[in-house]
């Protein structure tokens, strides 16, 4: 996995400002260590720029490896540029990043030194300030210029046991959220996210890409509240995210084995380049109340075969097996990257239909609906805003039956007492029991 973590800033401590890449850590004395002369150049102002210098050095080195994409590549997934290094050709950024980190750590170190010297020379030159009130669109202030603050919530007034949820306690919270937006510097956002979660003693999984962020984190109620505050005040998200975009459920840090934060091509793996099928062209969002009325109309129409509406579950078969909307179409797919293939094979089924799509939290429907719309066969495509999570908050006894599958140690959430499957798809055990993944 590509990037990177940043330790929380603590005063002017140099080691706390190091930006890491896989297999490349300037704190590792067995690899390369900053010389005493280099350390001496890092005055109080320069120390805070150390992480930026290292990341910039890495990016500059990768840039020198670029070659034009061969004209013979006709795939729509080609990006227009490849990379070559050490007599190898790399067709994606992940490959060249891993290679550079593993094989050229020394080169990155020397380039970092040059960048630091350049920054030192520019340190005395005044630069115009960017107003915090100036609107910056989806991108917010440019992270590549380090205008985004890495300040974390002040936790000094809280006791440690208030921030940390007990391992076996169900008094904590699990947050589920996503935000599609243009991210200029996903590596830096990844580093900030990891440091923030560590600062608040949160566990979970966070995926970051140039198309946005997708996270599910667990911890104490206090820690998750502080996390939401930090997200909602971040320049990149404050004009896009709102508190209602976070789905909450009982849980805590114990729901995840640890913390995983990484940069990927997609924030939910559909297997198609985000530039080909974009989140910017989704289906029409319906609130839980609007979706409920649509499902009600669908269910109470007499002849379902002649109905012009399809209620489509975008989740995997083992999710819909233990809980689903009544009379839905539930594809027999094992993972979301199979969804486009399912659509392609069943275009006749969707022809001239109104499609009501839903998933766990809404994220899979964003690009799933965009893919279905791009086929040009549907009369209209709608999606449930906030997913099943938000629907069940308003309609626990509505048209959704069974449990809600979740991708953590809880396995499933219960909002009603309905049973839609007597056993699991994998082991034949009662569906209320954890499935053996």
């Amino acid at each position: 996995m590509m990037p990177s973590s940043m330790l929380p800033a603590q005063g002017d401590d140099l080691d706390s400002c190091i930006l890491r890449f896989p297999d490349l850590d300037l704190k590792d004395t067995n690899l390369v260590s900053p010389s005493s002369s280099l350390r001496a150049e890092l005055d109080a102002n320069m120390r805070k720029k150390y992480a930026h210098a290292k990341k910039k050095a890495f990016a500059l080195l990768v840039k020198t490896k670029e070659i034009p994409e061969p004209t013979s590549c006709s795939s729509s997934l080609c990006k227009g540029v490849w990379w070559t290094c050490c007599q190898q050709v790399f067709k994606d950024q992940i490959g060249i990043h891993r290679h550079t980190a593993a094989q050229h750590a020394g080169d990155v170190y020397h380039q970092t030194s040059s960048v630091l010297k350049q920054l030192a020379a520019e340190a005395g030159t005044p630069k115009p300030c960017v107003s915090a009130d100036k609107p910056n669109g989806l991108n917010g202030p440019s992270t590549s210029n380090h205008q985004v603050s890495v300040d974390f919530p002040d936790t000094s007034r809280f006791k440690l046991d208030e921030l940390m949820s007990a391992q076996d306690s169900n008094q904590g919270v699990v947050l589920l959220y996503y935000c599609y937006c243009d991210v200029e510097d996903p590596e830096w956002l990844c580093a900030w996210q990891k440091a923030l979660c560590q600062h608040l003693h949160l566990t979970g999984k966070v995926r970051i890409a140039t198309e946005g962020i997708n996270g599910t984190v667990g911890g104490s109620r206090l820690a998750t509240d502080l996390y939401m505050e930090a997200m909602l005040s971040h320049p990149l998200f404050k004009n896009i995210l709102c508190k209602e975009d976070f789905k909450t459920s009982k849980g805590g840090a114990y729901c995840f084995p640890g913390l995983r934060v990484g940069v990927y091509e997609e924030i939910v793996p559909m297997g198609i380049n985000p530039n080909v099928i974009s989140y910017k062209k989704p289906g029409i969002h319906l609130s839980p109340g609007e979706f409920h009325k649509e499902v009600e109309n669908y269910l109470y129409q007499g002849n379902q075969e002649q109905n012009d509406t399809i209620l489509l579950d975008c989740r995997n078969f083992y999710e819909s097996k233990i809980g689903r909307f009544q009379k839905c179409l539930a594809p027999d797919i094992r993972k979301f990257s199979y969804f486009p293939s399912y659509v392609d094979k069943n275009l006749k089924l969707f022809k001239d239909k109104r499609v009501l799509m839903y998933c766990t939290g809404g994220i899979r429907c964003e690009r799933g609906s965009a893919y279905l719309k791009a086929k040009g066969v549907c009369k209209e495509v709608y999606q449930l805003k906030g997913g099943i999570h938000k629907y069940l908050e308003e309609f626990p006894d509505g048209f959704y039956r069974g449990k809600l599958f979740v991708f953590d140690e809880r396995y499933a959430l219960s909002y009603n007492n309905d049973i839609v499957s007597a056993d699991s798809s994998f082991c034949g055990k009662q569906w209320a029991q954890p499935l053996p993944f």
Side-chain angles (χ1 to χ4, degrees):
M1 180 168 50
M2 203 173 70
S4 57
S5 63
M6 181 185 287
L7 299 177
Q10 299 174 352
D12 287 327
D13 186 277
L14 172 64
D15 290 341
S16 69
C17 297
I18 292 179
L19 178 63
R20 299 179 180 176
F21 288 86
D23 305 315
L24 177 60
D25 186 349
L26 295 189
K27 290 171 63 180
D28 187 347
T29 56
N30 293 325
L31 185 60
V32 284
S33 298
S35 65
S36 57
S37 61
L38 179 58
R39 283 180 177 270
E41 294 178 28
L42 302 179
D43 57 27
N45 292 326
M46 288 297 296
R47 290 176 184 176
K48 294 183 180 180
K49 299 175 186 270
Y50 188 82
H52 173 50
K54 185 177 176 184
K55 186 178 74 68
K56 185 175 181 180
F58 189 94
L60 288 172
L61 185 59
V62 170
K63 184 73 175 177
T64 64
K65 312 295 183 181
E66 288 185 359
I67 59 172
E69 172 196 303
T71 56
S72 59
C73 179
S74 58
S75 171
S76 60
L77 300 180
C78 290
K79 301 175 184 293
V81 61
W82 287 0
W83 296 264
T84 180
C85 187
C86 300
Q87 300 181 339
Q88 299 180 60
V89 175
F90 301 91
K91 299 180 181 180
D92 57 72
Q93 282 188 327
I94 294 178
I96 185 62
H97 281 192
R98 286 175 174 169
H99 173 81
T100 303
Q103 304 299 325
H104 298 283
D107 295 333
V108 173
Y109 164 67
H110 292 299
Q111 185 68 36
T112 301
S113 177
S114 299
V115 172
L116 285 169
K117 291 177 181 178
Q118 180 182 357
L119 291 174
E122 297 173 352
T125 305
K127 297 181 179 180
C129 296
V130 178
S131 171
D133 298 325
K134 182 179 179 181
N136 291 282
L138 289 176
N139 289 318
S142 171
T143 56
S144 61
N145 291 325
H146 271 231
Q147 297 296 326
V148 174
S149 172
V150 295
D151 290 342
F152 301 135
D154 180 16
T155 58
S156 61
R157 62 188 186 277
F158 304 114
K159 296 180 180 179
L160 184 60
D161 57 0
E162 291 181 278
L163 282 174
M164 299 181 67
S165 61
Q167 287 299 310
D168 298 324
S169 171
N170 204 38
Q171 299 304 309
V173 173
V174 170
L175 292 179
L176 177 68
Y177 74 94
Y178 68 90
C179 180
Y180 274 105
C181 60
D182 294 337
V183 179
E184 291 182 353
D185 194 342
E187 286 84 5
W188 189 88
L189 182 60
C190 173
W192 179 78
Q193 269 291 312
K194 184 169 185 179
L196 174 63
C197 291
Q198 290 173 336
H199 181 68
L200 297 174
H201 305 279
L202 299 175
T203 61
K205 298 171 285 187
V206 182
R207 292 177 66 99
I208 297 165
T210 56
E211 64 173 355
I213 184 170
N214 174 22
T216 174
V217 295
S220 68
R221 184 170 297 278
L222 171 62
T224 52
D225 284 346
L226 292 173
Y227 179 85
M228 281 194 289
E229 290 178 12
M231 289 293 293
L232 293 173
S233 63
H234 191 287
L236 180 59
F237 306 118
K238 66 180 182 180
N239 295 323
I240 309 171
L241 269 178
C242 62
K243 192 171 182 179
E244 289 69 30
D245 292 322
F246 290 87
K247 279 73 74 173
T248 62
S249 54
K250 290 183 179 180
Y254 74 92
C255 296
F256 304 91
L259 175 66
R260 288 192 300 163
V261 185
V263 175
Y264 302 82
E265 185 176 39
E266 306 170 272
I267 59 174
V268 62
M270 191 169 76
I272 297 179
N273 190 310
N275 295 323
V276 177
I277 297 296
S278 172
Y279 71 89
K280 297 178 181 179
K281 298 180 179 180
I284 299 172
H285 291 79
L286 298 179
S287 69
E290 293 170 330
F291 195 84
H292 183 79
K293 290 180 180 178
E294 286 285 350
V295 175
E296 185 176 38
N297 292 335
Y298 165 74
L299 292 176
Y300 289 107
Q301 287 185 16
N303 192 334
Q304 294 294 326
E305 293 183 1
Q306 296 179 0
N307 200 324
D308 70 342
T309 300
I310 291 178
L311 182 56
L312 178 61
D313 192 324
C314 296
R315 301 173 301 159
N316 305 320
F317 76 90
Y318 52 84
E319 298 176 77
S320 60
K321 181 77 172 178
I322 67 170
R324 57 186 178 268
F325 276 95
Q326 299 174 56
K327 298 184 179 180
C328 72
L329 172 62
D332 186 20
I333 57 176
R334 188 173 60 84
K335 53 185 179 179
F336 186 55
S337 58
Y338 295 167
F339 180 76
S341 177
Y342 173 84
V343 169
D344 293 344
K345 293 176 181 178
N346 293 277
L347 287 178
K348 291 183 179 179
L349 183 64
F350 297 108
K351 185 173 176 58
D352 298 325
K353 296 290 187 179
R354 298 172 70 253
V355 180
L356 304 173
M357 299 177 66
Y358 69 89
C359 59
T360 304
I363 186 171
R364 281 178 277 189
C365 285
E366 297 288 355
R367 289 184 65 221
S369 64
Y371 187 85
L372 190 54
K373 282 184 62 179
K375 295 301 175 180
V377 298
C378 299
K379 185 183 297 185
E380 192 54 84
V381 180
Y382 301 91
Q383 62 184 90
L384 173 57
K385 184 177 181 181
I388 303 167
H389 254 290
K390 284 296 182 182
Y391 178 85
L392 289 174
E393 288 179 11
E394 291 193 31
F395 302 98
D397 296 311
F399 299 116
Y400 185 89
R401 295 289 183 260
K403 284 197 173 185
L404 174 60
F405 186 97
V406 290
F407 292 91
D408 58 56
E409 297 298 328
R410 298 170 300 170
Y411 296 99
L413 304 178
S414 179
Y415 290 82
N416 53 57
N417 296 321
D418 292 319
I419 296 177
V420 299
S421 177
D423 52 49
S424 83
S425 301
F426 290 94
C427 63
K429 292 182 179 179
Q430 287 294 307
W431 65 276
Q433 301 298 319
L435 302 180
F437 286 95

